[in-house]
Amino acid sequence: MRWNKKVLSTAMTCALVASTSFAASAATTLKLSHNQDRNHPVHKSMQYMADQVKEYTDGEVRIRIYPNGQLGTQRESMELLQNGALHIAKSNASEMESFEPAYGAFNIPYIFRDRDHYYRAMTGEVGEKILAASYDKGFVGLTYYDAGSRSFYANKEITSPEDLKGLKIRVQPSPTAVEMIKLMGGAPTPLSYGELYTALQQGVVDGAENNPTALTNSRHGEVSKVFSQDEHTMIPDVLVISSKVWDDLGDEYQQALKKAAKESMMYHKDLWTEMTDKAVEKAQKSMDVKFVAVEKQPFVDAVKPMHDAALENPAIAEYVRGIDALAQ
């Protein structure tokens, strides 16, 4: 069959136009999974990051956020990310330790003296080294999000390790958390967070440890009336991206994404402060929760063996020394 020159020319022109049109509209869309709802500061901070990325790349890179665990639990999201089925995920340093040992440095109780020390580490060289440490494991850290400081709450004041003796304290299923409670004199009880309200109500556990928002968001202030502010850990949430996706972005878009991610961390800092202050006020005024100031040194002394062991652990010793050096 012979092609009419005019028909062939028209066909080629249409194909070229279609190809050009497709290329112009072929923005890279990255799927991001997390387990909080749309009203949570971490979702708002990620949306801020997505907006910044779109602006910095002239719309060539876009981020589609899936909240509420739509794409699986934090652990499932990490596994999907490593397999290449997901691009970006939010987890926390407690769970991240099983994927990359470097994150274990953040789980040591009292590794941070206060919130200023925490942010010096998160924004400094040691924080960046930990984010980069997992490249060969299939993912790269982008930034950290403040998840507050964790303290004890129960129906009695816990102002010294002696007050924990005989108490069953709910902890996350983390070896570090279990060891911490043991050294402080309590009985660590790993338990699903979703079961905790009933467990507190029925006396299955005597207390728990978390940041103040647990009192209001999960209504734990209804069944635990004393919040003892010992602030034993400050464990960050972590935003990570697939190593393959990171490499495919190229240097220009990597820089844009990293810039937006770091800016969203500081945007989140203010949102988290606001939410925590509101939670404390609501717990005090509407739930009659008593907040108790705590002398931290006895708790610090009790868990010192964990810090000493970390300095001997080749997987995290470098990072622990880096964080210690930032204390003032």
Side-chain angles (χ1 to χ4, degrees):
M1 176 180 175
R2 297 182 110 185
W3 284 91
N4 179 288
K5 287 186 178 181
K6 185 176 181 181
V7 172
L8 181 60
S9 176
T10 302
M12 291 179 65
T13 301
C14 289
L16 181 60
V17 170
S19 175
T20 303
S21 176
F22 174 78
S25 63
T28 298
T29 300
L30 305 177
K31 293 183 293 183
L32 188 164
S33 172
H34 72 90
N35 62 348
Q36 300 291 355
D37 63 45
R38 295 178 183 275
N39 294 318
H40 194 279
V42 80
H43 179 85
K44 294 178 180 178
S45 300
M46 290 174 184
Q47 187 58 61
Y48 176 85
M49 179 188 71
D51 292 342
Q52 295 299 98
V53 167
K54 184 177 179 181
E55 178 181 337
Y56 293 154
T57 64
D58 294 324
E60 289 299 309
V61 179
R62 303 181 185 188
I63 297 174
R64 182 176 297 154
I65 304 174
Y66 295 84
N68 294 311
Q70 292 178 39
L71 303 183
T73 64
Q74 287 188 156
R75 186 170 190 86
E76 289 167 345
S77 292
M78 284 301 302
E79 292 169 352
L80 286 171
L81 185 141
Q82 287 182 302
N83 294 333
L86 181 65
H87 305 130
I88 305 176
K90 190 278 294 180
S91 187
N92 61 65
S94 289
E95 291 197 20
M96 292 290 290
E97 185 177 0
S98 63
F99 293 93
E100 169 49 57
Y103 286 99
F106 295 138
N107 297 329
I108 301 168
Y110 297 107
I111 187 72
F112 300 113
R113 306 302 188 270
D114 51 34
R115 198 180 188 211
D116 288 341
H117 182 200
Y118 168 92
Y119 272 98
R120 285 195 295 274
M122 297 300 105
T123 59
E125 182 180 359
V126 64
E128 287 299 320
K129 283 184 176 180
I130 292 174
L131 290 176
S134 58
Y135 177 85
D136 291 338
K137 308 289 176 57
F139 61 93
V140 177
L142 291 172
T143 195
Y144 302 100
Y145 291 125
D146 196 336
S149 57
R150 301 177 75 94
S151 294
F152 293 112
Y153 53 94
N155 281 316
K156 60 170 284 187
E157 294 186 12
I158 300 173
T159 58
S160 71
E162 287 71 27
D163 293 328
L164 283 167
K165 289 181 179 178
L167 294 188
K168 292 173 289 185
I169 302 296
R170 181 268 174 181
V171 294
Q172 299 178 87
S174 156
T176 306
V178 168
E179 178 68 8
M180 176 186 71
I181 299 300
K182 284 181 178 178
L183 287 173
M184 289 181 177
T189 308
L191 191 69
S192 165
Y193 189 72
E195 300 173 11
L196 182 52
Y197 182 96
T198 302
L200 288 165
Q201 188 179 46
Q202 297 179 352
V204 175
V205 294
D206 301 301
E209 49 89 45
N210 210 323
N211 64 67
T213 65
L215 300 172
T216 53
N217 293 352
S218 300
R219 301 186 295 114
H220 293 172
E222 295 177 354
V223 289
S224 292
K225 295 299 183 181
V226 183
F227 191 89
S228 301
Q229 298 173 288
D230 68 293
E231 299 180 330
H232 45 261
T233 53
M234 297 181 184
I235 301 174
D237 282 343
V238 189
L239 191 66
V240 299
I241 185 171
S242 157
S243 297
K244 183 181 184 306
V245 173
W246 178 250
D247 288 342
D248 288 346
L249 283 175
D251 185 64
E252 180 184 356
Y253 292 158
Q254 284 177 0
Q255 290 186 35
L257 180 56
K258 187 67 176 177
K259 183 177 188 304
K262 292 179 74 172
E263 289 172 352
S264 73
M265 173 173 64
M266 302 314 294
Y267 179 82
H268 178 81
K269 180 182 181 181
D270 293 335
L271 291 181
W272 184 265
T273 299
E274 180 182 348
M275 184 176 77
T276 301
D277 290 347
K278 287 181 178 178
V280 170
E281 182 179 10
K282 180 178 179 180
Q284 289 175 318
K285 294 184 177 180
S286 302
M287 308 174 89
D288 295 321
V289 175
K290 180 181 180 182
F291 283 74
V292 179
V294 172
E295 169 55 48
K296 297 179 184 179
Q297 195 58 48
F299 291 96
V300 174
D301 294 341
V303 297
K304 187 175 183 296
M306 296 181 72
H307 193 276
D308 293 342
L311 289 171
E312 298 299 321
N313 182 345
I316 61 174
E318 172 192 355
Y319 308 119
V320 174
R321 286 194 295 268
I323 293 171
D324 286 346
L326 295 172
Q328 292 182 353

